[in-house]
Amino acid sequence: MHDELIAQAQAWLTEDPDPDTRAELARLIEAGDHAELAARFGGTLQFGTAGLRGELGAGPLRMNRTVVIRAAAGLAAYLKKQGHDNGLVVIGYDARYKSRDFALDTAAVMTGAGLRAAILPRPLPTPVLAFAIRHLGAVAGVEVTASHNPPRDNGYKVYLGDGSQIVPPADVDIAAEIAAVPSLTAVRRPTEGWDTLDDSVLDAYLARTDAVLAEGSPRTARTVYTAMHGVGKDVLLAAFARAGFPEPVLVTEQADPDPDFPTVAFPNPEEPGAMDLAFAKAREASPDLIVANDPDADRCAVAVPDGGDWRMLRGDEVGALLAAHLVRRGATGTFAESIVSSSLLGRIAEKAGLRHVETLTGFKWIARAEGLRYGYEEALGYCVDPDGVRDKDGITAALLVTELASQLKEEGRTLLDLLDDLAVEHGLHATDQLSVRVEDLSLITAAMTRLREQPPTELAGLPITRTEDLTQGSETLPPTDGLRYTLEGARVIVRPSGTEPKLKCYLEVVVPVAERAGLPEARAKATDVLESIKRDLSAVAGI
């Protein structure tokens, strides 16, 4: 077994084009570190609907130039089989370690395969890449990013010519082409022949952001902004300046790209502590709201003053606020959300006479809703300009929520006042999440098996009126690994994360509210029920 591992590692070493990972692997071979070699050579990083994502390092179970070159070769072969022999592939990248290398490798592979390749001029937000695909008439796009994953990770996200991320069966077909790549020596990689784009694509994206706002709307709300050590700052500041908003006050410690993400444990606004510096800056600057992007700026977080300090709004709260704002502005079309997001969107759409659609989690599904006008998911993702960007976009979402805050400010009101209005009108929709990060993925499999074999009959004393195993699929949803429980006045969905080693449980409680005076009591009740559901769910799932 050990001999086989060493032989695999040595074969990899002879092909590896990267001096960094070659040196790393040579050290492991020399040290005879069989445990670490087994962790890297015990399989291959699987290409799926999120593309690739994993820890940087040598070997087939890590993100590295060898894995990326093979992925690019498989994608090129797939595109040619789809009849895109001379098609354009546009490539973007963030500021993580190796991102530019992976982008250049992709451009070289596409050029070598006879496709045309164009690379964005520097690290830019993922939404700019998603925009560029449609703007340039590309047949596919690649974004090198691990979004809000830890610093040691990187990833490879694939879009097709409609500007949406891949969905089945494209992922399976591309994975088959990757598996069929015989060796790196068989992949042509010229040293030139692709285009490096200038700023005209970014200028076109920024011109498009203007369309998100209503002509003549108030632009007075003051913001504190953090880019979370990512690539959002310059583009967001340019968009805000074009729109005529006050210049955001920056969280300077997190303003510029830094692949080490030194001030946060996880560079995700949802993670505990990630927003602490933004809160501190807001206490100094007293803005109307805080806006945060994740490192590739496709997500947008919002925090507001509440009871003398600052509170992060949940993704579901921002999702409802933006929907209400668009309805008030007379938006028409389909409002879409993922099944794990709040049912409040459906209530808002129904009252406005608009079509409402639920999809599987991920913008690859939301973006495909027919007639989409607005889509969101609870993980801080909002698509407010689907004709421009068929994906979540943290820049345009920030513009729209700041316009809403400005409008409310002119009326002497706040985002929290509007949330109260929505609760009185549609019932208080309180959401929460039970999220368990694991080192051992088998714990997630075991929890899902336990829930399927011994399904709960009640949670928090509420009888479960319906249990759905989402692997069965339905008329409206393709199959996915998950369970959905409908309770009296509540809903629970349990699923493994698609991008991180986490089991995620999404909870929602709906409490009717007759008038504003009843809101504190309704909130207290909702909090109690959510905590009880979490406790009971942890027990039955064994997590």
Side-chain angles (χ1 to χ4, degrees):
M1 179 66 188
H2 287 172
D3 292 347
E4 195 180 314
L5 260 183
I6 297 289
Q8 268 183 289
Q10 283 171 333
W12 186 276
L13 194 62
T14 59
E15 282 197 346
D16 192 339
D18 187 335
D20 295 339
T21 43
R22 270 210 314 275
E24 178 192 316
L25 189 52
R27 281 195 302 273
L28 292 173
I29 293 170
E30 194 178 337
D33 190 339
H34 297 114
E36 187 58 31
L37 288 170
R40 292 153 181 265
F41 287 87
T44 55
L45 212 53
Q46 292 302 302
F47 185 91
T49 49
L52 294 166
R53 203 177 281 189
E55 192 175 334
L56 289 161
L61 276 171
R62 296 287 185 269
M63 282 297 293
N64 50 64
R65 289 183 61 197
T66 303
V67 164
V68 164
I69 290 165
R70 284 178 164 273
L75 175 59
Y78 168 82
L79 292 171
K80 291 179 82 168
K81 282 190 177 173
Q82 299 295 312
H84 300 307
D85 285 343
N86 190 38
L88 173 67
V89 179
V90 61
I91 302 148
Y93 59 100
D94 67 10
R96 284 176 180 264
Y97 289 116
K98 298 288 180 186
S99 284
R100 181 167 166 77
D101 293 345
F102 295 167
L104 289 169
D105 281 330
T106 302
V109 170
M110 295 302 159
T111 304
L115 292 150
R116 292 176 297 126
I119 196 164
L120 291 181
R122 59 183 170 280
L124 286 166
T126 294
V128 177
L129 181 274
F131 167 81
I133 295 165
R134 288 158 69 101
H135 179 68
L136 298 172
V139 298
V142 171
E143 176 70 19
V144 181
T145 182
S147 191
H148 56 277
N149 274 39
R152 63 178 184 270
D153 288 3
N154 212 328
Y156 198 80
K157 190 184 280 194
V158 176
Y159 297 76
L160 293 181
D162 62 355
S164 301
Q165 294 173 53
I166 53 168
V167 293
D171 56 338
V172 177
D173 295 344
I174 295 168
E177 296 293 347
I178 295 169
V181 176
S183 71
L184 249 58
T185 51
V187 181
R188 286 191 61 226
R189 283 184 292 136
T191 55
E192 58 186 14
W194 56 88
D195 291 328
T196 299
L197 297 166
D198 60 19
D199 274 357
S200 58
V201 168
L202 177 58
D203 293 342
Y205 167 82
L206 284 168
R208 179 85 211 177
T209 63
D210 298 349
V212 173
L213 303 173
E215 206 172 320
S217 62
R219 311 278 164 96
T220 54
R222 294 167 52 254
T223 54
V224 157
Y225 171 70
T226 175
M228 206 68 63
H229 299 297
V231 298
K233 179 193 72 175
D234 291 347
V235 178
L236 182 127
L237 289 181
F240 269 56
R242 286 181 69 103
F245 286 113
E247 184 176 350
V249 175
L250 297 179
V251 179
T252 49
E253 303 94 325
Q254 299 176 334
D256 294 317
D258 186 335
D260 288 318
F261 304 104
T263 67
V264 290
F266 289 95
N268 177 357
E270 290 183 297
E271 292 282 350
M275 294 287 284
D276 286 357
L277 287 171
F279 291 157
K281 180 63 76 175
R283 289 177 197 120
E284 284 171 31
S286 300
D288 298 298
L289 72 164
I290 299 171
V291 172
N293 286 138
D294 67 338
D296 69 326
D298 63 351
R299 287 174 168 81
C300 175
V302 179
V304 294
D306 183 18
D309 205 359
W310 286 82
R311 170 167 89 82
M312 245 294 267
L313 295 180
R314 303 192 71 85
D316 284 317
E317 292 176 310
V318 178
L321 287 168
L322 292 177
H325 184 44
L326 289 170
V327 165
R328 186 172 170 180
R329 276 180 30 185
T332 57
T334 299
F335 279 30
E337 64 180 327
S338 60
I339 55 171
V340 299
S341 303
S342 172
S343 59
L344 177 55
L345 185 71
R347 306 270 180 100
I348 292 169
E350 184 183 13
K351 180 144 193 191
L354 299 174
R355 183 167 178 260
H356 170 249
V357 172
E358 282 190 321
T359 74
L360 295 185
T361 49
F363 263 81
K364 56 185 177 280
W365 299 109
I366 294 169
R368 286 179 160 75
E370 192 180 330
L372 182 66
R373 174 59 187 88
Y374 168 65
Y376 98 92
E377 66 178 358
E378 52 67 49
L380 311 182
Y382 314 95
C383 174
V384 300
D385 176 26
D387 290 342
V389 176
R390 283 262 146 181
D391 199 6
K392 54 186 176 292
D393 182 345
I395 306 292
T396 49
L399 285 170
L400 195 63
V401 79
T402 309
E403 177 186 62
L404 172 58
S406 300
Q407 190 171 345
L408 291 165
K409 185 179 180 178
E410 299 294 297
E411 299 167 6
R413 286 156 45 80
T414 67
L415 295 172
L416 292 181
D417 291 327
L418 180 52
L419 282 173
D420 286 350
D421 291 351
L422 292 171
V424 173
E425 191 173 357
H426 302 289
L428 175 70
H429 289 62
T431 57
D432 204 351
Q433 199 181 112
L434 172 65
S435 184
V436 184
R437 186 181 289 272
V438 298
E439 292 293 321
D440 180 359
L441 286 173
S442 69
L443 295 174
I444 293 177
T445 310
M448 294 300 290
T449 302
R450 192 176 294 114
L451 287 169
R452 285 190 170 102
E453 290 176 354
Q454 299 167 319
T457 55
E458 65 170 39
L459 294 168
L462 299 171
I464 292 173
T465 55
R466 188 177 181 201
T467 299
E468 297 165 86
D469 189 338
L470 301 176
T471 53
Q472 306 302 310
S474 70
E475 281 180 28
T476 54
L477 295 173
T480 187
D481 187 10
L483 294 161
R484 176 161 58 182
Y485 304 110
T486 305
L487 299 85
E488 288 179 14
R491 183 215 65 197
V492 175
I493 292 174
V494 184
R495 62 178 279 273
S497 168
T499 54
E500 297 176 272
K502 283 182 174 181
L503 182 69
K504 290 186 160 184
C505 310
Y506 304 84
L507 326 174
E508 180 175 46
V509 171
V510 183
V511 181
V513 188
E515 55 189 5
R516 291 175 89 88
L519 280 168
E521 187 185 336
R523 287 204 173 93
K525 180 181 176 184
T527 301
D528 285 349
V529 176
L530 287 169
E531 287 305 315
S532 297
I533 290 176
K534 274 199 226 179
R535 202 168 46 244
D536 291 357
L537 196 55
S538 292
V540 294
I543 52 175

